[in-house]
Amino acid sequence: MCAVGVAGLSAVPAAAQGNPGDPGSCRPSGAGHLAYSTNLDTDYNSVSVVDTKDLRVQRYIPGFRVPSNVTVLNDGSKLYVDQWYTGDANTKVVNPCTGQIVKTIPRPGGLFPLTNLSPDGRWLYLSTIQGFTIEKIDTKTDEVVHTYSTQQTGEPIGYAIPSPDGKSMWIAGLHHVYQMDLATGQFVGDPIAVGLSPEWLAVTPDGKRLLTSNFADGTDSVIDAASRRVTATVNTGITSYPNSVSSTPDGSQFWVGNLDGSVAVVDSHTGALIRMLKPGKITLDVTFSPDGRLAYVPTTPFSSPAPNINGALTAFGPMVSGNYHTGPGEIVVYDTRSLNLVKTFPTGGVPSPVVIPAGPFHD
């Protein structure tokens, strides 16, 4: 739904290699162990640069308005930061070496931008909540090269994620999941009925299974991609508010971040609930180290003065309009084998997913 920084702190540019005359291209020193997370809270409005070796925030990149998510190119040379500020909702292109915003990509319609990178890093796909179009952006030029229409679904879309082979796109609607052929822009097969309001989608690296987090009814739907049917439903409770879901790099598990302060670990093959972890704060997303051994869980405190899930939900509107303040947030790190806590370290307010460049790197 919504990553890490502190207002008033300046970004300290890292040593860079590459063409210094090109403001959109760089390779930060230590790119192989840097990750990024935004801080949506209006007290922070920044991107945290996370050192994944020491598990700490190394520095902050300021200058945003309600930054909700960040996408990073595979070589770490460019960031795309989605802003959810209601008066300035768009995607900013950022040079991570200098911290400079080098371009703004307008959202194509709908409410808030959501970006996802193609597996090879060549294309960026930009959708919006409650929108009807998806834009394909060339990551070399940062220009829109194609616009896909989703009008024929008859329902506004939200999260959209490319398949691992880069040939199709899985799209969440209000009650269904759709698959679009990216070569033709046509939908493949019938819509797949899932739970109410699928907030997020994840696909296993082999492309065989998906999971949707169904925000409005407290369930998660496991989908077999080949047969296009729901093979299991995970029920975590109507007030768990499943928000985000990610697949482990080996595809064996899905991890679901819930807004009630829990994380559901799900067997991707059977749909069995393996364990409910309890970070104890609103859980916004889960991502993994490239080797799959660590899970990064960004969390933020329940809202005050109403420390409950309803307070958190009612706070969302003021937050994206620039009037809400909370934090500080934390990133909670788990061992994916033992499911034990490894470390917790502070970030900014309302941190978003921790994204790690896919590589390769040549430090």
Side-chain angles (χ1 to χ4, degrees):
M1 181 188 70
C2 330
V4 191
V6 176
L9 295 181
S10 297
V12 179
Q17 298 178 10
N19 181 4
D22 180 1
S25 175
C26 78
R27 183 170 59 82
S29 176
H33 59 87
L34 294 182
Y36 301 91
S37 174
T38 64
N39 299 289
L40 183 146
D41 189 317
T42 53
D43 274 343
Y44 297 89
N45 278 327
S46 60
V47 173
S48 296
V49 182
V50 177
D51 187 321
T52 60
K53 287 184 177 178
D54 298 334
L55 296 179
R56 65 180 179 87
V57 174
Q58 181 190 88
R59 60 190 176 99
Y60 302 93
I61 302 175
F64 305 98
R65 306 183 78 178
V66 194
S68 58
N69 300 285
V70 59
T71 301
V72 59
L73 290 189
N74 292 346
D75 64 357
S77 65
K78 198 183 296 185
L79 307 178
Y80 296 88
V81 180
D82 300 330
Q83 291 195 147
W84 281 17
Y85 181 69
T86 51
D88 191 25
N90 51 48
T91 297
K92 301 292 187 184
V93 185
V94 181
N95 181 317
C97 293
T98 65
Q100 292 179 315
I101 297 172
V102 299
K103 190 169 185 176
T104 298
I105 303 174
R107 72 185 190 274
L111 297 177
F112 306 119
L114 296 164
T115 53
N116 256 311
L117 197 64
S118 64
D120 62 4
R122 185 67 175 84
W123 313 107
L124 187 77
Y125 294 97
L126 175 60
S127 61
T128 55
I129 294 176
Q130 298 287 298
F132 285 97
T133 58
I134 299 171
E135 291 185 342
K136 180 181 182 179
I137 296 164
D138 186 329
T139 59
K140 292 184 177 180
T141 64
D142 295 325
E143 296 291 337
V144 177
V145 295
H146 189 74
T147 299
Y148 299 95
S149 173
T150 64
Q151 289 281 355
Q152 67 189 83
T153 65
E155 56 183 309
I157 65 166
Y159 196 73
I161 184 172
S163 60
D165 62 9
K167 295 180 179 180
S168 65
M169 176 81 72
W170 292 99
I171 302 167
L174 290 178
H175 307 289
H176 300 87
V177 171
Y178 300 87
Q179 185 181 16
M180 175 186 285
D181 185 315
L182 289 173
T184 65
Q186 300 300 308
F187 285 93
V188 178
D190 295 326
I192 304 169
V194 293
L196 297 179
S197 187
E199 180 83 4
W200 214 263
L201 293 171
V203 187
T204 55
D206 61 9
K208 293 182 177 180
R209 294 173 302 282
L210 295 85
L211 191 75
T212 68
S213 53
N214 306 318
F215 185 84
D217 65 9
T219 67
D220 308 293
S221 300
V222 181
I223 300 170
D224 178 82
S227 66
R228 306 179 58 80
R229 65 185 183 88
V230 174
T231 58
T233 299
V234 184
N235 191 336
T236 54
I238 189 67
T239 58
S240 63
Y241 298 103
N243 173 58
S244 58
V245 58
S246 302
S247 169
T248 53
D250 66 1
S252 65
Q253 296 176 351
F254 291 115
W255 287 46
V256 185
N258 302 314
L259 294 192
D260 70 347
S262 66
V263 176
V265 182
V266 177
D267 185 307
S268 68
H269 296 276
T270 66
L273 179 62
I274 298 172
R275 189 178 301 181
M276 291 288 285
L277 303 175
K278 300 286 186 179
K281 297 181 179 180
I282 296 174
T283 304
L284 302 173
D285 207 323
V286 182
T287 50
F288 302 95
S289 59
D291 62 8
R293 298 185 65 178
L294 296 178
Y296 303 96
V297 182
T299 67
T300 196
F302 289 102
S303 61
S304 180
N308 55 54
I309 190 65
N310 291 325
L313 293 175
T314 57
F316 178 71
M319 186 161 53
V320 297
S321 65
N323 300 315
Y324 183 75
H325 310 275
T326 189
E330 295 178 329
I331 293 175
V332 182
V333 184
Y334 288 97
D335 184 304
T336 57
R337 296 175 180 177
S338 66
L339 301 183
N340 291 332
L341 177 67
V342 174
K343 185 175 181 179
T344 298
F345 60 95
T347 63
V350 195
S352 73
V354 178
V355 296
I356 303 174
F361 305 100
H362 306 286
D363 284 344

